[in-house]
Amino acid sequence: MTEYPKLSTSTTKIITFERRHIRPIPEDERTGKPRGLFFIWLGINMLPLTVVTGALGPTLFALPLEWTILAIVVGNVIGGFGAALHASQGPQLGIPQMLQARAQFGYFGGSLLAFIALLMFLGFFASNLVVAAQSFDAVFGGGLLNVGIIVCAVVALVFAIFGYDLVRKAMAVFSVIIGVLVVVSLLLALTNPAAYATTRDLVFTPAGFFGMLAIGVTWQLAYAPYVSDYSRYMPKGIGSRQAFWATYSGLVIGTVGVMVLGALVGLTTGDDGNSMAALGSLLGGFGPVVLFAFGIASAVMNSSNIYSGVMCALTVLESVAARVRIDTGKRIGMTVGYALLATLAAVFGQNDFLLVFKDFVFVLLYVLIPWSAINLVDYFVLRKGHYDVEAMFRRDGGVYGRWNGIGLACYAAGILVQIPFMVTTMYTGPLAEPLGYVDLAWVVGFIVPAVLYVAWERAVAPQRSAVR
């Protein structure tokens, strides 16, 4: 294993400038703590976008409040477990999450998965910009959504340029502030009779319940491609167990609390889908305080989507450009370009935001589930956490090769088996109607590639050993 020299920092001891990029974090630089990791994942969901997502129960699926809350809890508990399992890999390997995909899909094959994750981070960053701008617009008025989007993007960009340390500390601070405001908001919303005087025609349907449950699962698994970006700073050994529980508890507690608030807001959200305006009305005089805090928190915490998106972009860049050396200049340049692209997407996509966001979430589910299944069974069932990290940085892929046909074929199979079960506004599979439009695509999309990958890898293992 190559020894990487300890790098000096360019700022004070309070904030450390990011210089490792996608390289392994040496043992003597593993300063992460379980408490800090918990607050990262608690705070990352203290965002207005989480409120909007919780509101989808009443607004999109026409679910009653109690069924929406149940679907939120069950979906997040299931999805959070998968995300936390990915987080436990960080302390063991010390590298970003999607760079690990090279072990299952090969050096170049892993870059395909990193590119898919890059697009996911881009979508979440743009979505957060829209909702943060809506929060400010609900407070100040004036219809300056585009200005709000640009300001929020600049704030997130500054934090992302500094990197892991500043992002981590900012998220920890805001998680406490917004957490207190969310608790107060929940109490005010629950005791406000206006929340229950909804004019919506709400009724339980299996399709609506499982659709909302699937969104909860997706919301958590959407963090799987970058949980190790932060847990890789935890110490090796016991850090894996601590990383799991810190990530799981932070993700589930933070998400469920804010989504339940969103479910209450969804009861009074207008046909325009502006849940931030509905939240402000529901909270009365306390509304502007919460909306302003949500807007600031979203601008700051959104930096995590740039940071991890750039980690994926650098992984792709290193693969396709053999002579490019990943350094601080490349990371900063990529960060600026990434933020600019997402800002343009937010500005031009804000009018159809709610419909686009719903389909975006479901597409995420379809493409992430097979990757998650393959990664988890490879790590926990086949290799049991033992990898050659140095080989992942070799252009020939070392023991993992340039392309892993088994991993890529199983991933493709995981996508294909979901198609008959898909339920979106863009496409509905032939098996959706017989199942009452209950979206079960993500279930088969996890089981099939996981079983196929384990069986296939075990079948070829003796041949590989003989060749070696």
Side-chain angles (χ1 to χ4, degrees), residues 106-461:
Y107 184 87
F108 293 104
S111 294
L112 293 178
L113 277 297
F115 182 74
I116 292 172
L118 184 157
L119 296 178
M120 181 203 77
F121 294 128
L122 193 72
F124 267 112
F125 182 70
S127 299
N128 273 306
L129 289 179
V130 173
V131 184
Q134 288 179 344
S135 297
F136 289 127
D137 187 64
V139 175
F140 301 108
L144 300 176
L145 278 178
N146 288 342
V147 175
I149 288 172
I150 294 171
V151 170
C152 292
V154 171
V155 172
L157 175 61
V158 171
F159 280 78
I161 285 176
F162 272 88
Y164 161 79
D165 199 44
L166 184 57
V167 172
R168 172 182 65 85
K169 290 174 179 176
M171 290 168 69
V173 171
F174 276 96
S175 68
V176 176
I177 297 173
I178 304 299
V180 172
L181 294 179
V182 167
V183 171
V184 174
S185 299
L186 273 170
L187 293 175
L188 291 175
L190 287 168
T191 56
N192 188 344
Y196 306 99
T198 181
T199 58
R200 295 183 177 278
D201 185 17
L202 304 177
V203 61
F204 170 81
T205 61
F209 177 79
F210 283 100
M212 192 63 200
L213 185 149
I215 284 179
V217 173
T218 308
W219 186 267
Q220 296 296 342
L221 284 180
Y223 291 114
Y226 62 130
V227 283
S228 283
D229 294 3
Y230 298 93
S231 64
R232 63 183 170 143
Y233 287 88
M234 296 283 287
K236 198 172 182 178
I238 61 171
S240 294
R241 184 182 297 272
Q242 294 173 338
F244 174 88
W245 288 113
T247 302
Y248 183 77
S249 55
L251 280 174
V252 174
I253 293 172
T255 309
V256 169
V258 182
M259 279 193 181
V260 169
L261 175 62
L264 286 161
V265 171
L267 297 176
T268 57
T269 298
D271 293 335
D272 60 355
N274 193 334
S275 298
M276 291 299 99
L279 175 61
S281 300
L282 193 62
L283 299 181
F286 192 60
V289 176
V290 175
L291 289 172
F292 183 76
F294 261 138
I296 295 293
S298 184
V300 173
M301 295 181 185
N302 209 9
S303 58
S304 64
N305 285 309
I306 305 183
Y307 175 73
S308 291
V310 170
M311 292 297 105
C312 292
L314 293 174
T315 300
V316 175
L317 178 63
E318 185 182 60
S319 300
V320 300
R323 297 183 179 182
V324 172
R325 180 177 179 271
I326 304 301
D327 54 21
T328 300
K330 299 291 189 308
R331 183 180 69 84
I332 293 177
M334 190 75 73
T335 301
V336 173
Y338 193 87
L340 179 61
L341 184 61
T343 302
L344 291 174
V347 168
F348 290 105
Q350 59 183 275
N351 293 330
D352 299 318
F353 168 71
L354 193 62
L355 184 62
V356 172
F357 177 68
K358 179 256 183 181
D359 280 335
F360 168 68
V361 170
F362 275 109
V363 170
L364 272 184
L365 183 65
Y366 302 141
V367 299
L368 282 178
I369 282 287
W371 161 79
S372 178
I374 292 170
N375 175 270
L376 291 178
V377 295
D378 185 69
Y379 186 92
F380 291 101
V381 178
L382 295 177
R383 304 183 193 271
K384 304 188 186 313
H386 299 292
Y387 290 84
D388 183 351
V389 174
E390 188 173 357
M392 297 182 193
F393 292 90
R394 292 174 50 181
R395 292 196 65 79
D396 63 358
V399 294
Y400 308 115
R402 296 175 181 271
W403 301 89
N404 185 341
I406 294 177
L408 292 169
C410 292
Y411 178 79
I415 298 291
L416 292 174
V417 296
Q418 294 181 81
I419 293 176
F421 301 91
M422 290 180 178
V423 181
T424 70
T425 56
M426 298 181 293
Y427 172 79
T428 300
L431 296 181
E433 184 176 1
L435 293 172
Y437 295 100
V438 174
D439 193 343
L440 297 178
W442 61 278
V443 179
V444 296
F446 187 92
I447 295 175
V448 171
V451 173
L452 181 61
Y453 182 80
V454 171
W456 198 342
E457 281 286 342
R458 284 179 171 171
V460 302

